[in-house]
């Protein structure tokens, strides 16, 4: 099945910009979605279809996808953004179509 | 606003069958796909399978031999059965709506999610 690779952790100071990557073979040809999961809570969709935001998600959250890397960018990071972030794709060529990355822990210093 | 709520036993004995139900409120279960995802303690997310309201299913190959997902449109519910469980099946189990787009290219994402329910496999 398709493999998505995320860094285990990313640290950023408040007010700065955080970039969380998701690597995969030719991932730029796929649609990537991102979820935020705070401790003890269910995941929440923050970016879908590479760069679209669901209603209610701040504009500080944005996404991009090209080549072998997709990126979730969080601008003007706040303490409340500290969470685990997961990328996910639909691999239509596989019998395992729904794949998650291993997750990245975002720490706000 | 669609809301999903998981229900079922929090403790299951090894070798027995785990059974969970997801109740959908605030909208109809029809015209959508619905999915189960799980997360072992301290670990990442694993897709289990999905079902269309018509009854069509697709399962994770690693769990396919033990998983059954069904839907009851009259109750606006869908269910998960996982047989022959072991301690490795201990996890928080989430239900979620799977939004699928087929054209111009296939894509799918989960939104919204239920709050999750912890199922522990232990004697």
């Amino acid at each position: 099945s398709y493999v998505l690779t995320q860094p285990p952790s990313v640290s950023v100071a408040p007010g700065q910009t955080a970039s969380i990557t998701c690597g995969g073979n030719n991932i730029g040809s796929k649609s990537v979605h991102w979820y935020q999961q705070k401790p003890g809570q269910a995941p929440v969709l923050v970016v879908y279809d590479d760069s679209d935001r669901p209603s209610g998600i701040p504009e500080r959250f944005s996404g991009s996808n090209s080549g072998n890397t997709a990126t979730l960018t969080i601008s003007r990071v706040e303490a409340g953004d500290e969470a685990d972030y997961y990328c996910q794709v639909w691999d239509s060529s596989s019998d395992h179509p729904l794949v998650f990355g291993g997750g990245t822990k975002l720490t706000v210093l | 606003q669609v809301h999903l709520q998981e229900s079922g036993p929090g403790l299951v004995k090894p070798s027995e069958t785990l059974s969970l139900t997801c109740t959908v409120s605030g909208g109809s279960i029809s015209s959508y796909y619905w999915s189960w995802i799980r997360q072992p303690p301290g670990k990442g997310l694993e897709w289990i399978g999905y079902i269309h309201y018509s009854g069509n299913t697709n399962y994770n190959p690693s769990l396919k031999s033990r998983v059954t997902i069904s839907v009851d449109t009259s109750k606006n519910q869908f269910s998960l059965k996982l047989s022959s469980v072991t301690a490795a099946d201990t996890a928080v189990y989430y239900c979620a709506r799977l939004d699928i787009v087929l054209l111009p290219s296939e894509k799918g994402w989960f939104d919204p999610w239920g709050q999750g329910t912890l199922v522990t496999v232990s004697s």
Side-chain angles (χ1 to χ4, degrees):
Chain A
S1 63
Y2 192 75
V3 176
L4 295 173
T5 301
Q6 297 183 238
S9 62
V10 168
S11 298
V12 64
Q16 299 303 303
T17 297
S19 296
I20 299 173
T21 59
C22 177
N25 184 33
N26 197 25
I27 196 173
S29 67
K30 303 183 185 300
S31 177
V32 180
H33 322 294
W34 293 91
Y35 303 88
Q36 176 194 66
Q37 186 180 33
K38 296 182 179 180
Q41 298 184 20
V44 172
L45 181 71
V46 292
V47 167
Y48 68 98
D49 204 7
D50 294 340
S51 58
D52 289 335
R53 277 186 314 278
S55 173
I57 300 301
E59 292 183 5
R60 301 185 298 104
F61 289 82
S62 62
S64 62
N65 184 17
S66 178
N68 292 318
T69 305
T71 303
L72 173 69
T73 301
I74 309 172
S75 305
R76 302 181 300 282
V77 167
E78 304 173 355
D81 298 330
E82 186 162 289
D84 293 325
Y85 291 85
Y86 294 89
C87 59
Q88 176 252 313
V89 299
W90 171 282
D91 182 20
S92 59
S93 65
S94 170
D95 62 353
H96 186 175
L98 288 150
V99 180
F100 289 99
T104 298
K105 168 67 176 178
L106 176 67
T107 299
V108 181
L109 300 171
Chain B
Q1 187 90 1
V2 173
H3 180 75
L4 290 79
Q5 179 69 57
E6 305 88 350
S7 59
L11 181 64
V12 181
K13 290 182 168 56
S15 79
E16 295 190 345
T17 296
L18 177 160
S19 296
L20 295 174
T21 295
C22 182
T23 300
V24 179
S25 58
S28 173
I29 203 168
S30 298
S31 300
Y32 285 102
Y33 290 81
W34 304 90
S35 191
W36 288 96
I37 301 123
R38 70 180 183 179
Q39 184 173 37
K43 296 189 177 181
L45 301 167
E46 179 182 32
W47 169 67
I48 299 171
Y50 67 73
I51 188 166
H52 187 243
Y53 75 99
S54 64
N56 291 336
T57 57
N58 193 350
Y59 301 136
N60 185 326
S62 68
L63 298 170
K64 189 173 185 177
S65 64
R66 299 193 291 130
V67 172
T68 302
I69 298 176
S70 59
V71 64
D72 187 337
T73 55
S74 67
K75 295 182 179 179
N76 238 31
Q77 295 177 334
F78 63 105
S79 298
L80 168 71
K81 290 189 185 299
L82 180 66
S83 64
S84 304
V85 298
T86 69
D89 295 309
T90 293
V92 175
Y93 286 76
Y94 296 100
C95 59
R97 189 178 73 188
L98 174 57
D99 287 336
I100 292 180
V101 173
L102 298 178
L103 295 172
S105 61
E106 293 183 16
K107 60 192 77 169
W109 59 86
F110 302 101
D111 183 50
W113 297 57
Q115 67 182 27
T117 187
L118 174 63
V119 179
T120 302
V121 179
S122 175
S123 55

